[in-house]
Amino acid sequence: QQQQQQQQKITTNLLVAADGGQSFVRRTLGMPTLNFGYNRRAVTCTVEIETSMNYTAHQRFMPNGPIALLPIWNEEGSDDGDEEETKLYANIVWSTTPSEAEKFQNMSNEEFVTALNNELQKGPTNNPPLIPPSITSSLPTPLANLTHGMEMVAQTLNNSITMSQWSERKSFQVPPLIRKVVGRKFGFDLNLMQAQSYVRPRVALVGDAAHTIHPMAGQGLNLGIGDAQCLASVVKEAVDSGMDVGDTMHFLNKYDAERKVEVTCMMGGIQLLHGFFSSTFEPLVYVRSLGMNIINSVGLVRKRLVEVAVGANGITTGASKDV
């Protein structure tokens, strides 16, 4: 029996577009966007791992971009006496240059697993010389010795701060070994995008439909949840006032203003981190390492950064967060 396509007209007081970075709704309505390419591409896949990650994400920063091993939900083993080993899985997101990403995608799964383990299992590495050897070799001996002494002091300080945290956290947690790739490897270009406005009459963009950012800090999901939370808040405010949320732009403009402030600030922070960790300028590498260790060792600062990252007590324009 031949099925006939039927068109159905649906009406709603508010259309919430949560249809991704290539949003059909946004493009159909002609909502303009601001775009910036990072000249980076991410390779992502699911992998099987040897041991549990204990709900801990691992991220290693490298010159071309970070590699992240992210925990996902794993089914617990059964209690029926089945001795079959429970399989554990995680997701990989490796951000790098387009040429290296193409190389990774063309690798066999076995070669890719070897490359992953080689990078993730590396221990701490020493910073490069503060001043390149080509320059220090031409310096007077006293000045060359002074430079070497400064490098040793900075390295010792970094190592001391790092090891001082091991007693608090018991020990440094090494990422689990990866056994194999499960399924296909996918690649996508990394771009920063933000809609000039998140709203139109009776339309609101949320999540990647409104904005996309570099995945290095894992903030895309958190920003999308913040969008949904804020939009639910203004819808509740309209309903409590006995008004139609889409009948006036007052409520939608309130959502647009609050979210754009927080998202723009997060985008600026991510862009700063991207440049900071991509730099190979030796003095900046020392400052970066020392700064990260100091942040990690100061509990209040670390806690505050986590709160901002998950959207708690973030930057707002004053709209209610209660839903």
Side-chain angles (χ1 to χ4, degrees):
Q1 181 179 356
Q2 185 177 4
Q3 294 182 350
Q4 296 181 350
Q5 292 185 347
Q6 294 182 349
Q7 292 186 345
Q8 188 175 13
K9 185 175 181 179
I10 300 174
T11 60
T12 179
N13 289 338
L14 178 65
L15 174 62
V16 180
D19 51 345
Q22 301 300 320
S23 171
F24 172 80
V25 173
R26 189 190 68 234
R27 289 184 288 113
T28 300
L29 293 177
M31 301 175 73
T33 60
L34 302 173
N35 298 273
F36 172 80
Y38 289 106
N39 192 30
R40 289 292 186 272
R41 187 171 174 83
V43 177
T44 182
C45 62
T46 299
V47 294
E48 183 182 334
I49 54 179
E50 285 195 353
T51 57
S52 173
M53 296 180 65
N54 297 319
Y55 307 103
T56 301
H58 297 270
Q59 191 166 34
R60 188 176 189 98
F61 290 91
M62 298 181 297
N64 287 337
I67 175 173
L69 181 66
L70 308 172
I72 59 176
W73 180 84
N74 286 285
E75 186 175 358
E76 298 293 337
S78 61
D79 297 326
D80 58 4
D82 188 357
E83 296 182 357
E84 183 179 353
E85 184 179 4
T86 301
K87 293 182 178 181
L88 302 171
Y89 301 98
N91 284 336
I92 286 287
V93 181
W94 194 335
S95 305
T96 184
T97 60
S99 59
E100 191 171 43
E102 183 180 8
K103 182 182 73 173
F104 291 151
Q105 287 190 266
N106 291 332
M107 281 181 175
S108 68
N109 286 347
E110 292 75 16
E111 291 173 326
F112 188 58
V113 167
T114 299
L116 287 170
N117 283 326
N118 285 343
E119 295 298 340
L120 289 172
Q121 297 300 316
K122 283 181 181 177
T125 57
N126 289 331
N127 289 326
L130 186 60
I131 298 177
S134 59
I135 296 178
T136 55
S137 61
S138 61
L139 294 176
T141 301
L143 188 55
N145 290 339
L146 177 61
T147 301
H148 179 69
M150 292 172 58
E151 291 174 0
M152 292 299 99
V153 169
Q155 193 66 55
T156 301
L157 181 59
N158 257 334
N159 291 340
S160 299
I161 295 175
T162 299
M163 289 187 291
S164 70
Q165 301 303 303
W166 288 358
S167 58
E168 175 189 343
R169 296 169 177 248
K170 296 183 179 179
S171 64
F172 176 76
Q173 186 172 339
V174 178
L177 280 169
I178 296 171
R179 286 180 170 171
K180 64 181 180 180
V181 173
V182 180
R184 293 177 52 198
K185 299 193 296 286
F186 298 91
F188 57 93
D189 294 327
L190 301 181
N191 298 294
L192 179 149
M193 181 279 293
Q194 177 163 227
Q196 292 185 15
S197 175
Y198 295 176
V199 298
R200 283 287 178 89
R202 296 196 180 279
V203 176
L205 306 179
V206 299
D208 284 357
H211 42 73
T212 60
I213 61 173
H214 195 291
M216 71 182 304
Q219 290 305 300
L221 175 62
N222 289 340
L223 289 176
I225 292 173
D227 292 345
Q229 196 175 35
C230 181
L231 184 60
S233 176
V234 298
V235 169
K236 180 177 184 297
E237 183 180 351
V239 172
D240 290 346
S241 303
M243 301 179 66
D244 178 354
V245 68
D247 194 41
T248 170
M249 289 299 293
H250 168 75
F251 298 105
L252 293 181
N253 285 338
K254 191 173 183 179
Y255 160 75
D256 180 65
E258 175 172 338
R259 292 309 299 157
K260 203 173 290 178
V261 168
E262 187 160 347
V263 171
T264 302
C265 289
M266 182 62 73
M267 284 182 166
I270 297 299
Q271 182 63 26
L272 182 63
L273 283 175
H274 175 66
F276 203 47
F277 282 96
S278 298
S279 175
T280 57
F281 181 55
E282 287 82 2
L284 184 58
V285 172
Y286 274 83
V287 172
R288 180 178 69 202
S289 298
L290 184 59
M292 291 297 291
N293 275 323
I294 290 175
I295 289 173
N296 191 51
S297 65
V298 181
L300 290 177
V301 176
R302 188 173 67 238
K303 181 180 178 181
R304 177 56 181 162
L305 288 176
V306 170
E307 289 175 349
V308 172
V310 300
N313 301 316
I315 301 170
T316 70
T317 58
S320 171
K321 288 280 188 176
D322 298 329
V323 179

